[in-house]
Amino acid sequence: MLQSQGSFFVGGRTVRTESAGWGDLKDVFGESFEAGDVVVDQMYVQFQAPPKPTHLPIVFMHGGLLSSKQWETTPDGRMGWFEYFTRQGFPTYLAEQTGRARSGFNGTAFNQVKNGRLPPGAQPKVFLGTSSMAWKVFRFGPELGKAWPDVQFPVKAFGEFAKQVIPDMIETEVPSLLNELVQPETKNPTVDNVADLAADLGGAILVGHSQSAGFPTQAVLKGKGGIKGLIQLETGCFSNLTDEQVKALAQVPILVVVGDYLGSDPSAACGKEMDQIKAAGGDITFVSLPAAGIKGSTHMFMQGKENIKVADLLIEWVDKHVKR
């Protein structure tokens, strides 16, 4: 049973555009809608809550080339984390990265390049995930169609997974993809929006994966409060934290989880961050799934056949480390 379910937007701002794309359709509408106000930077959030929550709200952020679909039903039709965490007593929220999928993006620059207002070089890059890229980068196997012997991802349903891989418009939101992902402080509107969401919920656990693995940390550094725990899936650590940033992060328990073929020890960045936070009296835990007895995990272990075992591991950590 559910107490409630629904969706809403967080954030957003109104900007003026002179290139809405309707310039050659004036005769159709009887007037020109080429200029006007549009809303940008809003973040779509889908949620469901159990009747009697036993845990704090948990907010899941998807990775690059993906949408919140990654937390829903798995490609081979099994229960995803959106449903499972709700069943375990968590009010569960899926945050769509600003500029992606249902959150939309500001297409003005593309129209301006088309109509000559901007040079071609000013157009933001659109990142497309090819099948071979997804297969290798997400660690399903050494080459497309060839899986690792013990892989737990349902590779027979790869065709269904490939439908989840959508154009990544992050460069319409941030000036430099690489700089924004490796700097503790960011102007990425998704981070501001998810920080606001945690504060609005009166306390929440933030979960980031892959491209968004560092977003929970960056959200804490916004200083808006309400963030009770951080879960970083597949790294997301920073090696360039200041003393003040370490002090802020030491107030929030942190869990870092990685799957197979990513090393059984923390990366150099995670090792440094862990040492800093522990020295400041903080609580940070690193878990390598194969070392914990869960083998065959890919980059997408929330969709693998082991996804419930991994979810239970996260919930066990929450029960031991996160205060309501």
Side-chain angles (χ1 to χ4, degrees), residues 208-281:
H209 171 250
S210 191
Q211 185 186 80
S212 70
F215 290 4
T217 294
Q218 293 171 326
V220 169
L221 299 179
K222 293 295 181 180
K224 298 180 180 181
I227 301 173
K228 303 299 184 181
L230 305 183
I231 298 178
Q232 301 171 196
L233 305 179
E234 296 278 285
T235 69
C237 298
F238 295 94
S239 61
N240 49 354
L241 296 167
T242 66
D243 290 342
E244 283 301 308
Q245 290 169 342
V246 170
K247 183 178 179 180
L249 291 170
Q251 306 304 309
V252 183
I254 302 172
L255 172 64
V256 181
V257 181
V258 299
D260 282 35
Y261 312 110
L262 207 58
S264 57
D265 298 316
S267 65
C270 282
K272 182 176 181 180
E273 179 178 320
M274 290 175 70
D275 289 343
Q276 289 177 302
I277 289 176
K278 288 180 178 178

Side-chain angles (χ1 to χ4, degrees), residues 95-142:
E96 207 98 88
Q97 282 194 44
T98 304
R100 188 88 52 80
R102 291 172 292 185
S103 295
F105 67 95
N106 188 353
T108 297
F110 296 91
N111 287 337
Q112 289 177 324
V113 169
K114 181 175 176 59
N115 63 30
R117 289 175 179 249
L118 286 177
Q123 181 172 294
K125 185 183 294 185
V126 180
F127 295 94
L128 302 177
T130 65
S131 294
S132 59
M133 176 190 179
W135 189 281
K136 289 185 177 181
V137 173
F138 295 168
R139 306 199 306 278
F140 301 154

